[in-house]
Amino acid sequence: EPEVTQTPSHQVTQMGQEVILRCVPISNHLYFYWYRQILGQKVEFLVSFYNNEISEKSEIFDDQFSVERPDGSNFTLKIRSTKLEDSAMYFCASNGAGSGAYEQYFGPGTRLTVT
Amino acid sequence: QKEVEQNSGPLSVPEGAIASLNCTYSDRVSQSFFWYRQYSGKSPELIMSIYSNGDKEDGRFTAQLNKASQYVSLLIRDSQPSDSATYLCAPKRSSASKIIFGSGTRLSIRP
């Protein structure tokens, strides 16, 4: 069964460093998302991406964040200068397009620890 | 008003009983509704989707939707210890839409 994959599973970085989180969405999906979940809190939407551009972003997704689909399979989230408060689980998700294709599938997540 | 409201729990149910989880949502434009299960430290796992008013059954799970009341529920029959998790109700407007999650309901199945 197709699934969303993410790498790495755990990333430890120092404050101020840049990190890139990687995702491979399900191959025939067209809509891609990043969410995050701070420990003990709810899952929060960061950004959605379609047709090689951002379609929506939340207030959390400020200038320190960027997303890219560098090729036909990968979808990345970059944090330019990490802060302690960026420590969280980051989930990538994807879904298809059109009626009946609303189901959104999540990857296993990357645990980001900023020290 | 919160966009998605669920009783945070914990909801404690004996093994073998029916667990009933409820959700109300505020966005009347929502077209599709999902239930995700999230184990501690893991990602949300899609377990049910429902698009039309009424009931939808899949194995031990039954989702119920009432768009007029903006209400979605999930019943889990013959509850197992492995059902112990947080259950997230997730309305979605369209294929292009993000999901706005509530805090979820923590379910605990006691042996």
Side-chain angles (χ1 to χ4, degrees):
Chain A
E1 185 173 314
E3 59 183 16
V4 178
T5 59
Q6 290 185 245
T7 54
S9 57
H10 191 190
Q11 173 91 46
V12 181
T13 189
Q14 289 189 326
M15 196 167 52
Q17 296 296 303
E18 174 184 287
V19 294
I20 298 176
L21 310 183
R22 292 182 167 79
C23 167
V24 179
I26 293 173
S27 62
N28 62 345
H29 283 180
L30 298 177
Y31 295 94
F32 314 116
Y33 310 84
W34 285 100
Y35 296 82
R36 79 171 187 191
Q37 187 173 33
I38 295 170
L39 187 63
Q41 298 185 22
K42 61 183 182 181
V43 178
E44 301 174 289
F45 166 75
L46 292 178
V47 66
S48 58
F49 193 86
Y50 169 71
N51 200 26
N52 280 322
E53 60 183 30
I54 291 173
S55 45
E56 188 175 358
K57 59 184 180 181
S58 73
E59 290 178 355
I60 302 168
F61 194 88
D62 61 21
D63 292 344
Q64 292 300 311
F65 291 88
S66 62
V67 288
E68 194 178 36
R69 188 154 163 83
D71 52 43
S73 59
N74 290 284
F75 180 49
T76 63
L77 174 69
K78 181 192 292 186
I79 309 175
R80 287 190 185 81
S81 178
T82 50
K83 307 182 186 71
L84 293 176
E85 54 265 37
D86 293 329
S87 295
M89 281 287 284
Y90 287 80
F91 300 115
C92 174
S94 69
N95 62 256
S99 177
Y102 292 19
E103 296 179 347
Q104 195 170 113
Y105 295 92
F106 283 72
T110 292
R111 180 175 300 282
L112 177 65
T113 302
V114 182
T115 61
Chain B
Q1 184 187 11
K2 291 182 183 176
E3 294 191 59
V4 176
E5 295 209 46
Q6 296 180 253
N7 188 325
S8 61
L11 174 65
S12 182
V13 173
E15 186 174 353
I18 296 175
S20 178
L21 307 168
N22 304 314
C23 168
T24 56
Y25 61 93
S26 61
D27 185 5
R28 288 193 169 274
V29 184
S30 295
Q31 295 294 315
S32 53
F33 303 85
F34 306 104
W35 283 97
Y36 288 85
R37 177 174 63 198
Q38 187 177 29
Y39 294 114
S40 181
K42 302 295 185 183
S43 64
E45 176 193 5
L46 181 64
I47 56 171
M48 282 291 285
S49 58
I50 186 165
Y51 299 91
S52 305
N53 283 328
D55 295 0
K56 179 182 176 184
E57 187 175 317
D58 185 359
R60 295 187 297 113
F61 300 103
T62 299
Q64 299 174 315
L65 173 61
N66 184 326
K67 289 185 181 179
S69 301
Q70 295 174 257
Y71 172 83
V72 195
S73 67
L74 179 71
L75 298 177
I76 306 175
R77 287 180 298 282
D78 188 24
S79 297
Q80 303 297 308
S82 59
D83 295 328
S84 296
T86 297
Y87 288 80
L88 306 170
C89 167
K92 200 169 185 292
R93 283 189 171 190
S94 70
S95 55
S97 306
K98 64 182 183 268
I99 289 177
I100 299 293
F101 287 102
S103 300
T105 296
R106 192 154 54 94
L107 175 66
S108 175
I109 307 299
R110 58 181 190 271

